Amino acid sequence: MKVFYEKQIFEMLVEDFDNPRFLRSFSEHLSLMYEKAKNRSIDDPLTSKPSKQNSFGHNRHALTQSLFYKSAIKTETNARYERCKSNGYEYPIVTVGRFYFTLHYGSSPNKLTRRKPSLIRRQNSFINNELIQPKLFDKSNFDINKLRQADEIYAEIIHGCRGNGLNFDRYGFLKVSIPYTKESRNENEQFLHLVNINLYEVLQELIKNES
């Protein structure tokens, strides 16, 4: 059962995606990207054994980022590349309604806290800090109108694979999270996610609405 604010954000995602084309295109080809990454690393006889897992991660990243952008272009969804101001790395952003998404790998479908976020994630999460404060998401204080009136909400599409991380068809997950940063007691910055919403459930709702 979804908590109060998660249900509201789920509904907002369905409203803004409007149709299933982008999510369907991206999700249907995601397992193939994992298989290609595995073929180029784990199964590659020319890749040394100590390098296989690291090579798999690099290949998975390149292939899924490319799929993310190409799926948007193919379905006429707004997409562009931006450069991270801190390190110069270029990365794709897909914009749907008030949400703009970046793509990331995650180790768990349920994890909400990250101690050392990438520079890209930190840079983009700043937009949520003024708009989305932790108290906003307490059930007693939640103001859905404040969130609905936002012009831009940064969210992350996170893919991952449980088990040994290789069999996406069997163990894969795809979710969306809304991040923000805050200072912890020891003055180290914490990177937190307010919700984990299953994107396959969003896709199912979009398909149902379309029929």
Side-chain angles (χ1 to χ4, degrees):
M1 182 178 180
K2 292 180 175 63
V3 296
F4 176 75
Y5 53 79
E6 185 177 347
K7 183 177 184 295
Q8 307 299 321
I9 296 171
F10 180 93
E11 292 174 353
M12 291 168 64
L13 287 166
V14 172
E15 290 171 10
D16 283 26
F17 271 108
D18 186 48
N19 70 76
R21 290 183 300 160
F22 167 70
L23 282 183
R24 178 187 281 151
S25 176
F26 177 67
S27 62
E28 285 180 350
H29 295 90
L30 195 52
S31 62
L32 179 60
M33 299 302 103
Y34 273 70
E35 187 61 32
K36 283 186 175 182
K38 181 173 175 287
N39 291 339
R40 296 178 184 181
S41 54
I42 305 297
D43 298 338
D44 182 9
L46 298 180
T47 302
S48 64
K49 189 173 181 179
S51 302
K52 286 182 181 292
Q53 198 62 43
N54 190 46
S55 177
F56 172 71
H58 284 294
N59 277 282
R60 178 189 60 210
H61 174 79
L63 289 166
T64 54
Q65 292 287 323
S66 178
L67 173 66
F68 185 59
Y69 179 77
K70 289 180 178 179
S71 295
I73 298 302
K74 177 182 176 181
T75 58
E76 299 181 326
T77 304
N78 189 1
R80 67 188 187 277
Y81 272 87
E82 283 198 2
R83 189 180 299 275
C84 178
K85 297 175 183 178
S86 302
N87 61 11
Y89 177 78
E90 286 191 291
Y91 59 97
I93 292 178
V94 172
T95 305
V96 180
R98 77 205 97 182
F99 292 95
Y100 71 96
F101 301 97
T102 54
L103 180 70
H104 305 274
Y105 172 78
S107 59
S108 166
N110 303 313
K111 191 173 183 179
L112 288 169
T113 304
R114 188 179 182 90
R115 287 286 182 179
K116 295 181 179 180
S118 69
L119 294 173
I120 290 170
R121 296 172 109 166
R122 289 183 63 229
Q123 175 177 302
N124 285 288
S125 69
F126 289 154
I127 192 173
N128 291 345
N129 283 359
E130 292 183 5
L131 169 70
I132 303 168
Q133 298 298 328
K135 287 185 178 179
L136 176 64
F137 285 80
D138 290 341
K139 186 174 180 180
S140 59
N141 299 319
F142 184 76
D143 184 358
I144 188 61
N145 293 319
K146 183 177 179 182
L147 196 63
R148 285 188 176 279
Q149 291 167 7
D151 294 325
E152 289 185 318
I153 301 172
Y154 169 55
E156 297 179 347
I157 291 179
I158 300 174
H159 64 92
C161 186
R162 290 158 291 197
N164 62 9
L166 302 177
N167 190 339
F168 190 86
D169 277 334
R170 186 169 183 179
Y171 299 113
F173 61 86
L174 187 62
K175 65 180 182 178
V176 63
S177 295
I178 298 179
Y180 66 97
T181 59
K182 75 171 186 177
E183 296 295 325
S184 61
R185 291 180 180 178
N186 59 6
E187 298 183 353
N188 291 322
E189 190 175 58
Q190 277 191 307
F191 190 76
L192 306 174
H193 290 95
L194 295 162
V195 289
N196 281 323
I197 296 175
N198 188 332
L199 267 183
Y200 290 115
E201 292 182 2
V202 175
L203 177 58
Q204 289 171 2
E205 188 70 14
L206 290 168
I207 293 172
K208 184 178 76 173
N209 293 344
E210 191 180 49
S211 61

